Amino acid sequence: MPSKVTFILGGAASGKSAFAESLCLSSGKDRVYLATSQVFDDEMRAKIDRHLHQRGTGWTTHEAPMDLAPVLDSLAADQICLVDCATMWLSNQMLAEADLQAAQHDLLDALQRCAAEVVVVSNEVGHGIVPDNALARQFREAQGRLNIALAGMADRAVLVTAGLPQVLKGTL
């Protein structure tokens, strides 16, 4: 039986999205891509374009930078949803000055309710230096708490480093 929620964690440009996409492709299920990023500049537009090209066709894409629950609640058991990524979702919440604890609670509830298999991608931001400003430190702490919560509720957790997956919880 496949894992209902798979949590994919890794550093920036570690290969985590490509690995998550490969899990979705190999599932044989109808694929849904839940995009959390927002385009604020040319660099982000180029990154999104690269991801679209890498992903290829055969995906239904939903853009939901803030509230993922409506999309997750609409999915069926014969689908698999890639949430890419929890880090951008958290950034959006912080920029909107949302209640992070309430937003995280709502996200975890939506993941648990979702009938579809879900793969959530997130960045590991705790391996670097301590940031020199309060906002960056607040983000690092919030991302760490979110990652702990996602890994805790997931059936499977995988760390991707240099494109190589290492299973932390469950099996591949």
Side-chain angles (χ1 to χ4, degrees):
M1 182 168 161
S3 297
K4 184 176 184 297
V5 176
T6 298
F7 180 57
I8 308 295
L9 184 65
S14 64
K16 62 190 175 299
S17 291
F19 177 74
E21 290 164 9
S22 73
L23 287 179
C24 293
L25 285 168
S26 68
S27 75
K29 296 181 177 185
D30 289 336
R31 298 180 310 275
V32 175
Y33 188 88
L34 186 44
T36 62
S37 64
Q38 299 181 78
V39 178
F40 293 117
D41 57 35
D42 291 339
E43 181 184 358
M44 183 56 77
R45 168 53 54 207
K47 182 176 182 174
I48 290 170
D49 289 344
R50 279 192 311 275
H51 273 258
L52 282 167
H53 179 73
Q54 173 184 304
R55 198 164 56 245
T57 60
W59 296 79
T60 300
T61 300
H62 297 274
E63 294 182 12
M66 294 291 291
D67 187 6
L68 308 185
V71 175
L72 292 171
D73 287 341
S74 73
L75 300 177
D78 63 344
Q79 295 177 297
I80 187 165
C81 178
L82 173 53
V83 177
D84 199 358
C85 76
T87 305
M88 292 303 294
W89 174 84
L90 178 63
S91 295
N92 297 337
Q93 299 295 324
M94 289 186 73
L95 289 172
E97 298 180 359
D99 179 336
L100 297 183
Q101 188 173 11
Q104 179 174 308
H105 179 267
D106 292 347
L107 173 60
L108 295 174
D109 279 354
L111 288 168
Q112 289 176 335
R113 284 192 313 267
C114 186
E117 185 177 349
V118 183
V119 178
V120 181
V121 173
S122 190
N123 284 39
E124 172 54 71
V125 297
H127 287 167
I129 62 172
V130 175
D132 69 347
N133 67 79
L135 179 59
R137 287 189 300 274
Q138 180 187 7
F139 174 77
R140 182 194 60 176
E141 293 300 316
Q143 185 67 62
R145 286 190 302 275
L146 176 60
N147 287 344
I148 290 168
L150 288 167
M153 64 86 57
D155 302 295
R156 175 169 58 186
V158 180
L159 175 67
V160 178
T161 304
L164 301 173
Q166 179 181 14
V167 177
L168 304 174
K169 179 181 180 183
T171 59
L172 279 181

